[in-house]
Amino acid sequence: MREQSKYLEGVDKKDLFASGHRACGGCGQALAARLVADAAGENTIACVATGCLEVFSAPYPDPSWRIPFLHSLFENAAAVASGVDAAYKALKKGPVNIIAQGGDGSTADIGFQSISGMFERGHNVLYVCYDNEAYMNTGVQRSSFTPYGARTSTTPTGNTTRKKNMPMLAADHGIPYVATATVDDFRDLQLKIRKALTIEGPKYIHILAPCPLGWGHPGDLTVEICRLAKDTGLFPIYEIIDGKVTNVRKIPVKVPVAEYLKPQGRFKHLFKRGVPSEEVDAIQEIANQNIERFNL
Amino acid sequence: MLKQIEGSYAVAHVVAQCRPNVISAYPITPQTHIVEGLADIVGAGQLDAEFVNVESEFSAASVVLGASAAGARAYTATSSQGVLLMSEVIYCIAGMRLPIVLTCANRAISAPLSIWNDQQDSMAVRDAGWIQLYAEDNQEASDLHIQAFKIAEQTFLPVMVCMDGFILTHAYEPVDLPEQKEVDDFLPTFKPRHIVDPRWPRGIGLFADPRFYMETRYILHRALEKSEETIKEVSSEFAKAFGRESGGFIKTYKLEEADVVVVSMGSVVGTIKDLIDQLEEEGKKVGLLQICSYRPFPRKEVYRALKDKMNIVVLEKCISLGRGGILASDVRWSFPRAEKKDRDISSFVAGLGGRNISIDDLRYMVEKVEKEPVEFEFLGLKTELIAERDM
Ligand SMILES: Cc1ncc(C[n+]2csc(CCOP(=O)(O)OP(=O)(O)O)c2C)c(N)n1
Ligand code: SF4
Ligand SMILES: [Mg+2]
């Protein structure tokens, strides 16, 4: 009990993203969205893309949002948020936190152009990507964030490409703040949201949000899976402030990628009778490259 | 103040006088001069607005969607491929009841690539839930924008003002430009209905399951039908305030006595009127029914104007491929089923991709339907360019 209260120390809990939504049990994205809303506070407008988040949190007539919520399409959350920002400037209203939010598909694929435009124009918008490494809302199809080797409904024998590096792409727009986070570390995630919201201009936060349904792991492992993603080096935690990578999270004890892969159904085919295939070595190599690149 | 001015700049001038808070657009011929004109006006500090230079029409439409949902008066303009790229957002804007004004500088659609005028672009989104007004000349194009903001903000329906690309956008004509005070007196400040604002947290753009979706469509359809009153009211208020007729539902020219009636919309009605005058001198009675508001469609007015006419010909710059004339089917639908008159409604498509519609073409069309009705014909087609094996 004491351990748990320590874990929640400094964590904002305002229930601005109310429970009772329709996400699967253990949904990393639902947890993340709540942490984001509670960290941002009441003075916030959420511009959400179509995807699991919108569908499980915003059915008429009982949405979960207790902050203003705006949704229109799959690929335009960043542009809609740009419009809200422009309106606030033109009407001389605010200040207000404008947070565009979308899944990996809407962020890295179909909405990439609109995000790039929002960054490049310098809108005062925080973009939060909930990365669950596939198009979950439509039934777990591959996205450009699907990691190497993962099985999805459109990569039935395993994905053959590497994950697009969105935080770096965001940073290369010259925006002042980029960060990565996971849903196992509430405090770190909320700190980054709060910090981003103090900075004028476009910001990007990339949150790894495991999806028990699509990844094929029990819902109660969501938090543990995040820890393993970090400790293997597969999901590095860092900030990029004014173009410089800083505050890199050091891995306390490095974990082989097999431990991350094994509990997940999407990687099951990589272990024939428990024996890791070549793909597992390739994934280990990706982790090693991250460890070296970020000095994890 | 009467001024010799390019159509696009006249529209830019008038849109600026409507004091939009947010303007967002992406360049495409022949819309460009409108947004360049607005950029100049904002740049010169004559209009206090956010001008958002986006990376696509898709984002332009999304920016004005977001801005309008946040309480701003928002404006965009586009043409052709831009309309199609926006189309997803165009539907959303109507479904979300955001009173945005969009100028469509009408242009043909690819392929093949054509930058020239027809009305296929705005027609492609005619069912999206927007009010669509078609301008006859640059005076009307300017006037319609002032009316458009008022109509949109009274009905919470978006309004598309359609003006023929190049023929109007790039034509220098004398246009009576209003004084700022006249526009301010005519157009009240925008009072939004639902906005995203932390003071009143609410959701805009929720998803609707089958228990609720149909009703949203019904409401939108009825709202469009009901906007008829507002469109007429605003047009007559406009006439009172500015001393000239512009917009409204339909207009007619020498219709009463006419034996043959041409139905059309947009700038081609100017040429049609010239032909009507010529034919009158030759002793023929031809009249014009001009559609100003294409959506909502003026069904009752069309019927009232045409119910005693036995020879009607619809001329339009768009086509439903595999089906035929679009406006023609709207006109045919305007007559009640029960009415069993043996009426001829001919259908002609013309001017696609900027093909000139000459007065001789129109004369050929009228003379042809005088002899016998025409189910459907491409006017001004060069048959020598067409081989049977291509079809
Ligand atoms: C233009 C368009 N194409 C496709 C879709 C269907 N669609 C809706 S959500 C979605 C996938 C969402 O994936 P992601 O952004 O990763 O969010 P997730 O559901 O995984 O959280 C797709 C393909 C759509 N709504 N609009
Ligand atoms: S499918 Fe995945 S992302 Fe979607 S609600 Fe379920 S767990 Fe969450
Ligand atoms: Mg996803």
Side-chain angles (χ1 to χ4, degrees):
Chain A
M1 198 57 208
R2 193 185 302 142
E3 186 120 300
Q4 194 188 0
S5 61
K6 205 172 155 221
Y7 189 66
L8 292 175
E9 213 172 274
V11 174
D12 280 328
K13 193 170 178 322
K14 299 177 176 158
D15 286 331
L16 295 176
F17 181 84
S19 56
H21 53 69
R22 294 148 194 216
C24 314
C27 173
Q29 189 167 201
L31 181 54
R34 197 182 86 199
L35 291 167
V36 169
D38 286 351
E42 286 85 352
N43 188 31
T44 302
I45 296 172
C47 298
V48 175
T50 312
C52 264
L53 174 62
E54 194 269 335
V55 171
F56 70 64
S57 71
Y60 178 82
D62 41 22
S64 299
W65 300 82
R66 289 179 180 152
I67 51 175
F69 165 92
L70 180 58
H71 159 261
S72 65
L73 292 165
F74 183 24
E75 64 274 48
N76 67 354
V80 169
S82 304
V84 174
D85 176 50
Y88 266 73
K89 287 195 177 112
L91 299 170
K92 300 174 180 61
K93 287 185 14 170
V96 67
N97 305 318
I98 303 168
I99 309 186
Q101 330 194 5
D104 47 290
S106 71
T107 304
D109 295 337
I110 198 165
F112 189 71
Q113 172 179 322
S114 107
I115 291 165
S116 179
M118 184 274 279
F119 286 162
E120 167 274 322
R121 290 189 300 271
H123 288 282
N124 191 23
V125 171
L126 165 61
Y127 191 98
V128 174
C129 170
Y130 301 113
D131 178 11
N132 54 24
E133 302 190 325
Y135 301 150
M136 296 315 178
N137 187 47
T138 37
V140 199
Q141 295 86 10
R142 174 196 178 275
S143 80
S144 63
F145 279 5
T146 299
Y148 180 77
R151 190 135 69 180
T152 68
S153 55
T154 51
T155 53
T157 55
N159 187 37
T160 55
T161 54
R162 283 182 65 162
K163 188 170 172 170
K164 195 187 264 186
N165 194 337
M166 188 67 196
M168 290 299 162
L169 289 166
D172 280 346
H173 283 78
I175 65 175
Y177 186 78
V178 172
T180 64
T182 55
V183 292
D184 66 315
D185 192 341
F186 296 2
R187 208 173 327 160
D188 179 66
L189 190 157
Q190 288 202 326
L191 237 130
K192 285 171 174 167
I193 296 290
R194 282 192 291 264
K195 182 168 179 179
L197 291 172
T198 63
I199 298 167
E200 181 73 22
K203 288 82 59 173
Y204 177 75
I205 297 185
H206 189 121
I207 301 175
L208 187 71
C211 162
L213 182 110
W215 293 13
H217 63 79
D220 56 6
L221 280 191
T222 293
V223 161
E224 177 63 9
I225 296 268
C226 282
R227 197 186 56 75
L228 287 168
K230 294 191 292 191
D231 287 351
T232 50
L234 284 172
F235 194 83
I237 298 293
Y238 54 86
E239 293 177 302
I240 307 175
I241 299 176
D242 295 326
K244 282 199 189 66
V245 178
T246 67
N247 298 328
V248 178
R249 173 187 178 270
K250 287 275 179 199
I251 301 175
V253 183
K254 292 190 181 58
V255 175
V257 295
E259 282 191 39
Y260 170 73
L261 304 175
K262 271 184 176 163
Q264 302 183 46
R266 62 178 174 156
F267 295 116
K268 202 168 160 207
H269 61 290
L270 302 183
F271 299 90
K272 302 255 153 57
R273 280 183 224 93
V275 183
S277 63
E278 288 173 2
E279 282 89 348
V280 175
D281 296 336
I283 295 168
Q284 185 62 58
E285 183 49 33
I286 293 170
N288 294 347
Q289 284 171 9
N290 282 341
I291 290 167
E292 198 181 279
R293 178 175 184 182
F294 294 98
N295 193 19
L296 299 175
Chain B
M1 180 192 49
L2 212 56
K3 196 173 171 189
Q4 188 73 16
I5 188 171
E6 195 193 82
S8 297
Y9 294 120
V11 167
H13 179 90
V14 164
V15 167
Q17 288 181 320
C18 294
R19 303 186 191 275
N21 306 112
V22 174
I23 300 166
S24 184
Y26 188 81
I28 181 166
T29 306
Q31 152 265 38
T32 39
H33 291 181
I34 301 173
V35 290
E36 287 167 9
L38 279 163
D40 281 345
I41 293 168
V42 175
Q46 289 157 3
L47 172 67
D48 183 15
E50 287 291 310
F51 190 99
V52 188
N53 275 310
V54 280
E55 82 300 332
S56 69
E57 287 89 352
F58 192 86
S59 283
S62 301
V63 164
V64 291
L65 181 155
S68 182
R73 179 175 286 167
Y75 170 83
T76 186
T78 190
S79 293
S80 180
Q81 308 309 125
V83 175
L84 293 193
L85 193 57
M86 280 185 180
S87 61
E88 222 196 334
V89 194
I90 282 178
Y91 268 78
C92 254
I93 286 170
M96 296 167 81
R97 303 293 298 270
L98 298 172
I100 288 162
V101 172
L102 179 154
T103 309
C104 177
N106 286 111
R107 164 183 152 180
I109 279 175
S110 290
L113 176 68
S114 164
I115 59 163
W116 291 276
N117 166 248
D118 65 35
Q119 294 171 345
Q120 194 72 45
D121 49 1
S122 50
M123 276 292 172
V125 292
R126 68 181 189 272
D127 302 327
W130 286 56
I131 292 171
Q132 283 196 346
L133 309 174
Y134 286 76
E136 171 181 351
D137 53 25
N138 284 335
Q139 184 66 61
E140 188 165 53
S142 311
D143 295 347
L144 282 179
H145 282 87
I146 307 174
Q147 298 183 29
F149 282 102
K150 192 161 187 172
I151 295 165
E153 291 168 11
Q154 282 183 13
T155 58
F156 288 93
L157 292 167
V159 179
M160 189 176 294
V161 179
C162 304
M163 61 189 293
D164 284 317
F166 290 113
I167 299 169
L168 295 184
T169 55
H170 288 56
Y172 276 79
E173 285 175 12
V175 176
D176 193 351
L177 294 172
E179 298 298 324
Q180 182 64 57
K181 169 138 188 357
E182 292 178 281
V183 179
D184 288 343
D185 289 345
F186 182 77
L187 183 64
T189 48
F190 174 36
K191 287 192 196 66
R193 197 160 53 176
H194 304 306
I195 56 167
V196 280
D197 187 318
R199 283 172 294 177
W200 313 283
R202 63 163 84 227
I204 302 184
L206 307 188
F207 95 86
D209 69 27
R211 289 174 298 162
F212 304 112
Y213 183 87
M214 278 260 288
E215 287 67 28
T216 69
R217 297 279 108 182
Y218 177 79
I219 291 166
L220 184 53
H221 176 62
R222 287 289 299 131
L224 261 153
E225 287 185 333
K226 267 181 54 194
S227 70
E228 169 182 348
E229 293 154 34
T230 314
I231 294 168
K232 287 178 183 165
E233 255 169 49
V234 169
S235 157
S236 57
E237 281 168 30
F238 185 90
K240 251 182 247 137
F242 293 86
R244 59 178 173 270
E245 304 278 334
S246 265
F249 242 37
I250 59 165
K251 281 191 256 179
T252 59
Y253 185 69
K254 299 187 177 171
L255 183 92
E256 233 136 79
E257 302 289 300
D259 298 321
V260 177
V261 179
V262 183
V263 183
S264 198
M265 54 191 200
S267 62
V268 72
V269 301
T271 325
I272 298 172
K273 286 183 195 167
D274 289 346
L275 174 74
I276 290 172
D277 293 345
Q278 275 187 16
L279 291 172
E280 192 177 37
E281 280 172 25
E282 297 164 24
K284 284 187 186 171
K285 290 180 195 151
V286 178
L288 167 74
L289 171 63
Q290 179 190 347
I291 308 289
C292 308
S293 161
Y294 178 67
R295 286 290 182 269
F297 191 75
R299 183 183 192 177
K300 279 180 287 179
E301 276 72 7
V302 169
Y303 175 63
R304 219 172 290 143
L306 299 180
K307 66 179 186 311
D308 299 322
K309 304 297 174 188
M310 303 311 282
N311 198 348
I312 297 160
V313 51
V314 182
L315 176 76
E316 58 193 303
K317 292 183 179 176
C318 56
I319 177 170
S320 170
L321 294 167
R323 166 66 177 78
I326 304 173
L327 180 59
S329 39
D330 288 308
V331 171
R332 285 177 178 140
W333 162 85
S334 300
F335 296 91
R337 236 165 216 257
E339 200 200 72
K340 291 230 165 32
K341 282 197 182 158
D342 198 13
R343 175 180 288 113
D344 294 327
I345 303 180
S346 301
S347 169
F348 282 82
V349 162
L352 299 187
R355 177 70 49 87
N356 183 43
I357 305 175
S358 70
I359 203 155
D360 288 343
D361 293 328
L362 297 175
R363 176 185 283 269
Y364 157 88
M365 176 184 79
V366 169
E367 286 172 355
K368 186 155 185 181
V369 301
E370 278 174 338
K371 285 189 216 102
E372 54 175 0
V374 175
E375 186 65 32
F376 182 60
E377 186 174 320
F378 273 69
L379 189 62
L381 198 65
K382 294 184 186 163
T383 46
E384 67 275 20
L385 295 183
I386 303 164
E388 193 56 38
R389 63 166 193 281
D390 295 335
M391 289 186 260

